[in-house]
Amino acid sequence: MFSEEEIKVIAEKHGDFRVIDWKVVKINEPLIGYLAEHLKLIITVETNRNISELNCFVKCVPRFDRDKAQYIVENGFFKKEYTMLNTLFKEVGGDEGPRQWRPKVLYIKPELFVFEDVTELGYTTPYYEHCLTEAEIFAAVEAVARFHAQSYIYEERKSELLKRPYRLWEDFSEYFQEPSQMAWRHTGMKAVIDVLKTYSKHKTAPGFDKRLDETIYKLCNDAVELTKPSSTVRNAVVHRDLWTNNIFLKSDERGTHALLIDFQTVLYCSPMLDISSLLYFNTTRSFRERFLDKILNFYYDMLSQELRQANIDVDTVFDKAALLKDYTKSILFGIIQAALIVPVGSMNMKDKLKIFDNPDTFYQINEVSRSVEIIEVASREHLYRDRVLEIFDELVERFVLI
């Protein structure tokens, strides 16, 4: 996977070392990600007659799963992340220092990325079956705000250089759009309809089944429309996929800190889409009702703080009232994304491996139907069923039974 020269380049990012040997090993944790293969690169080095090991995290296109590799390539996921890491993110920073919001990139080529192994620094991913705590959510919101701020900083600096308003869409529009292939969304929404018809507390409402069939797919299409650049608020590069597998957390005496990973589905649109999806992926309905105003104000404060660090007046970038109002519009995107992702992400690992990590069923589950599998797990895992149904029923109450 690596040449000797590439290994030397990676080792030099850690310090002045002499490379002795290296190896690539598979990470034992299953399904650490769905759209890549994840490995650990271990480099044995020597410095001042001391032998030590450097641990790095490797993300690459799956080497032995042809269907998944083809799916990734066809949808341009790696191409998108490669462009972000190799161009835009190089200029905006954020991968080191006290305001770090992403792991440091050590080496990159089109279908293979090497990062610092943040688990060596004490970071871990949240447990997928649980929602995030208050401290963890606020840490994640802070990281998201710092991430979004980099878009504005980049645009403001380039506008000054060009002596005209500049927006990232000019140079990166082909990478900031949803893939044209949407079969996985149709598959996910079919599961939403079938689960609601089976378990929803509203299933006995008059005309419930017909109303679902008439509205759910339209709501999904409306949510996709929100991924386009907004005409009402200042757009930013948004992550779009902030569930537990894409957040690393570390807690110590200084508090809780978060890092964001996996930028293969970034978009250029309202930053509120990241906040709404982050909350619907990772919190309960009661948590959102209790903390929403505090979270939105905290996000604005962190965003403002980051811009001021770059000597940018936040009031010249966006209007707070308009930004916070835009959250209401973004709820549809957040709840639809959660309806698609949470039934997969929060499933117990045994069932998840059986259903979603099987090359023989990859096409069936992603392109045809996953309803039977989700309903079957929900029938015997009541905590899983409750979490999924809370999102699905809120979707019904907000957008179907109105």
Side-chain angles (χ1 to χ4, degrees):
M1 295 181 70
F2 298 96
S3 69
E4 185 174 348
E5 287 304 311
E6 289 173 326
I7 293 295
K8 287 181 180 178
V9 169
I10 296 167
E12 286 170 359
K13 295 289 180 68
H14 290 84
D16 186 16
F17 295 108
R18 183 176 73 87
V19 174
I20 297 174
D21 196 9
W22 71 90
K23 61 182 177 180
V24 176
V25 298
K26 191 169 181 65
I27 294 176
N28 289 328
E29 185 176 349
L31 282 183
I32 193 171
Y34 289 91
L35 294 178
E37 183 177 1
H38 298 91
L39 307 160
K40 180 168 285 194
L41 169 64
I42 303 171
I43 307 174
T44 305
V45 296
E46 180 185 20
T47 181
N48 298 326
R49 297 185 178 181
N50 292 318
I51 306 296
S52 59
E53 288 184 343
L54 307 176
N55 291 294
C56 311
F57 180 80
V58 179
K59 174 181 177 180
C60 62
V61 172
R63 297 167 297 164
F64 310 116
D65 189 334
R66 186 190 309 173
D67 290 339
K68 189 176 288 188
Q70 182 178 348
Y71 180 80
I72 291 167
V73 171
E74 286 178 352
N75 285 279
F77 292 128
F78 261 67
K79 185 177 181 181
K80 179 181 288 197
E81 185 165 18
Y82 173 77
T83 302
M84 294 298 101
L85 293 174
N86 203 40
T87 55
L88 180 60
F89 286 3
K90 271 188 177 180
E91 297 196 38
V92 302
D95 62 353
E96 55 187 341
R99 302 199 310 279
Q100 182 180 13
W101 50 266
R102 62 185 175 92
K104 187 174 183 178
V105 179
L106 303 176
Y107 187 75
I108 183 171
K109 50 188 179 181
E111 294 187 350
L112 185 149
F113 315 142
V114 182
F115 303 92
E116 66 177 331
D117 185 353
V118 295
T119 63
E120 297 284 310
L121 305 176
Y123 287 90
T124 60
T125 52
Y127 186 57
Y128 54 89
E129 289 188 42
H130 295 167
C131 291
L132 299 187
T133 66
E134 179 183 348
E136 291 169 342
I137 278 292
F138 277 88
V141 170
E142 181 174 347
V144 172
R146 296 194 192 285
F147 166 45
H148 289 167
Q150 304 311 310
S151 297
Y152 304 129
I153 294 170
Y154 184 95
E155 290 180 340
E156 291 296 301
R157 288 175 176 168
K158 192 145 186 177
S159 294
E160 186 176 346
L161 183 66
L162 296 173
K163 301 188 184 316
R164 65 168 178 83
Y166 168 82
R167 297 296 181 262
L168 286 159
W169 188 258
E170 292 181 32
D171 294 323
F172 298 98
S173 59
E174 66 177 295
Y175 304 105
F176 288 148
Q177 302 179 57
E178 284 280 56
S180 57
Q181 185 187 101
M182 302 300 290
W184 69 274
R185 283 185 175 276
H186 186 278
T187 303
M189 297 316 291
K190 182 179 187 303
V192 172
I193 292 172
D194 292 340
V195 171
L196 281 168
K197 289 179 178 180
T198 304
Y199 290 117
S200 174
K201 62 185 177 183
H202 303 291
K203 67 180 182 179
T204 58
F208 181 71
D209 288 5
K210 184 173 184 292
R211 190 75 177 127
L212 281 181
D213 294 333
E214 291 173 345
T215 58
I216 290 295
Y217 292 114
K218 180 182 182 302
L219 289 171
C220 184
N221 291 334
D222 291 344
V224 172
E225 284 296 307
L226 294 174
T227 67
K228 297 177 180 179
S230 172
S231 60
T232 57
V233 296
R234 179 80 173 262
N235 296 291
V237 179
V238 304
H239 188 288
R240 202 209 76 171
D241 199 23
L242 293 168
W243 64 299
T244 52
N245 266 30
N246 292 333
I247 302 170
F248 272 89
L249 294 162
K250 177 182 179 180
S251 295
D252 53 30
E253 65 278 358
R254 293 170 295 181
T256 303
H257 186 255
L259 299 176
L260 311 179
I261 65 167
D262 280 2
F263 298 91
Q264 56 200 15
T265 58
V266 293
L267 301 165
Y268 185 72
C269 54
S270 167
M272 289 293 96
L273 267 65
D274 265 349
I275 301 301
S276 65
S277 54
L278 172 70
L279 295 180
Y280 275 93
F281 283 150
N282 302 295
T283 69
T284 63
R285 189 171 186 175
S286 62
F287 181 97
R288 293 188 291 275
E289 291 171 351
R290 181 182 175 191
F291 287 103
L292 179 60
D293 288 344
K294 185 178 178 181
I295 287 169
L296 293 178
N297 283 301
F298 177 75
Y299 168 83
Y300 179 83
D301 290 344
M302 291 298 101
L303 192 60
S304 303
Q305 185 181 110
E306 195 71 10
L307 292 176
R308 292 191 187 102
Q309 289 281 342
N311 297 314
I312 297 172
D313 181 358
V314 64
D315 293 328
T316 67
V317 176
F318 51 74
D319 175 79
K320 180 180 180 180
L323 187 73
L324 302 187
K325 182 180 178 182
D326 205 60
Y327 176 82
T328 301
K329 187 193 302 183
S330 78
I331 288 175
L332 175 61
F333 176 82
I335 202 167
I336 289 290
Q337 284 295 103
L340 293 167
I341 300 299
V342 170
V344 178
S346 62
M347 190 178 289
N348 72 78
M349 188 56 70
K350 182 179 178 181
D351 286 317
K352 197 184 300 185
L353 285 170
K354 178 182 176 182
I355 297 169
F356 295 99
D357 198 41
N358 184 348
D360 294 332
T361 60
F362 181 81
Y363 174 81
Q364 167 73 20
I365 289 297
N366 284 281
E367 309 287 333
V368 182
S369 175
R370 60 182 64 164
S371 300
V372 172
E373 291 78 6
I374 291 175
I375 289 171
E376 194 279 323
V377 175
S379 70
R380 51 183 165 80
E381 300 277 349
H382 72 277
L383 293 178
Y384 170 80
R385 182 176 67 246
D386 290 347
R387 185 173 179 194
V388 169
L389 259 294
E390 182 180 68
I391 295 168
F392 287 12
D393 275 335
E394 183 176 350
L395 172 63
V396 167
E397 290 158 16
R398 282 184 178 272
F399 300 105
V400 178
L401 298 179
I402 54 175

